Amino acid sequence: RHVICCSSCVLLDEEWDRPGFPFAMFRYSDAPLGFFGTGLVEELKDIQVEVNFLLQKIQRLMTLYTTQLWTRKGNVNPATMDNQDGAIHEYKTEPPIILAPRAIDPAWTQHLDRLWARGFEIAGLSQISATGKTSPGIDTGISMRTQQDVESQRFLSVQQAWEEFTIDVSNLIVNEARSLSESEDGFSAY
């Protein structure tokens, strides 16, 4: 049956004469339950949330980062201070102390790099192949094909699902063209 309805009434109810559903589905991977599959975006969601959090925190700290100038009270007149590059200032008794702490701890960027690499591992890609480059030392056709075969084995089920999706879409197009050519509206399929 082909039915179009809402919660309160049936708008259309007719016999369905086609061989299958009028849509094609591509699933990156099958979900344990339900009709829809699990996509790569869903698999990488938790890592992306953490990456976004770290990047926002790093951006905020980089924005707040500043060099501090400390001096004994009364030694420097604040009105004479400026932020001009290469400025020359005099001092009377002892030089001021300049504190330039790190804007961010290197552990944060290391953690960000680990998350980034983990995302590539989950996706099954090397960072080199994601950029379209070849690994260092792989310069012959045989070694390039071997590397491609190793990486493509991981995507065999995804590739087969994509091929099935393409065939399903092609069948839907052919069925629709047949239906249009058989209708009384004067359409023809060539």
Side-chain angles (χ1 to χ4, degrees):
R1 308 287 303 162
H2 176 222
V3 178
I4 300 175
C5 63
C6 60
S7 62
S8 61
C9 68
V10 175
L11 302 171
L12 175 70
D13 185 358
E14 63 185 6
E15 190 173 321
W16 184 254
D17 58 354
R18 303 249 178 117
F21 291 111
F23 52 84
M25 291 294 295
F26 170 74
R27 295 173 184 91
Y28 181 78
S29 63
D30 292 328
L33 293 172
F35 175 75
F36 297 100
T38 304
L40 181 59
V41 172
E42 190 175 351
E43 291 181 15
L44 294 175
K45 177 187 70 168
D46 294 334
I47 288 179
Q48 186 62 55
V49 167
E50 181 69 16
V51 165
N52 290 350
F53 173 77
L54 276 174
L55 287 174
Q56 287 172 349
K57 196 144 181 108
I58 288 170
Q59 180 184 22
R60 183 169 181 270
L61 289 172
M62 292 298 287
T63 303
L64 295 174
Y65 173 74
T66 183
T67 302
Q68 299 177 5
L69 178 66
W70 289 78
T71 183
R72 189 175 301 235
K73 193 171 185 174
N75 277 2
V76 177
N77 179 0
T80 64
M81 300 303 296
D82 60 29
N83 63 351
Q84 183 180 5
D85 289 335
I88 299 173
H89 298 285
E90 296 177 356
Y91 60 91
K92 291 181 183 172
T93 56
E94 56 187 67
I97 299 168
I98 298 174
L99 296 179
R102 286 190 209 161
I104 56 170
D105 191 303
W108 289 21
T109 55
Q110 291 169 0
H111 182 53
L112 185 63
D113 290 342
R114 279 193 303 270
L115 289 171
W116 184 262
R118 182 69 181 131
F120 279 99
E121 288 173 15
I122 290 172
L125 290 173
S126 68
Q127 293 184 28
I128 291 174
S129 66
T131 59
K133 298 178 182 175
T134 58
S135 299
I138 296 182
D139 48 7
T140 65
I142 294 171
S143 58
M144 287 178 189
R145 280 193 303 274
T146 303
Q147 180 186 13
Q148 185 178 8
D149 286 345
V150 168
E151 289 183 352
S152 65
Q153 289 298 318
R154 164 106 191 232
F155 295 108
L156 185 60
S157 61
V158 176
Q159 181 179 356
Q160 288 171 344
W162 184 256
E163 289 170 357
E164 287 177 25
F165 172 73
T166 305
I167 291 170
D168 290 346
V169 168
S170 300
N171 286 333
L172 287 171
I173 291 169
V174 168
N175 288 337
E176 192 62 34
R178 276 193 193 127
S179 176
L180 285 173
S181 67
E182 294 169 359
S183 71
E184 299 173 9
D185 296 334
F187 293 107
S188 62
Y190 291 97

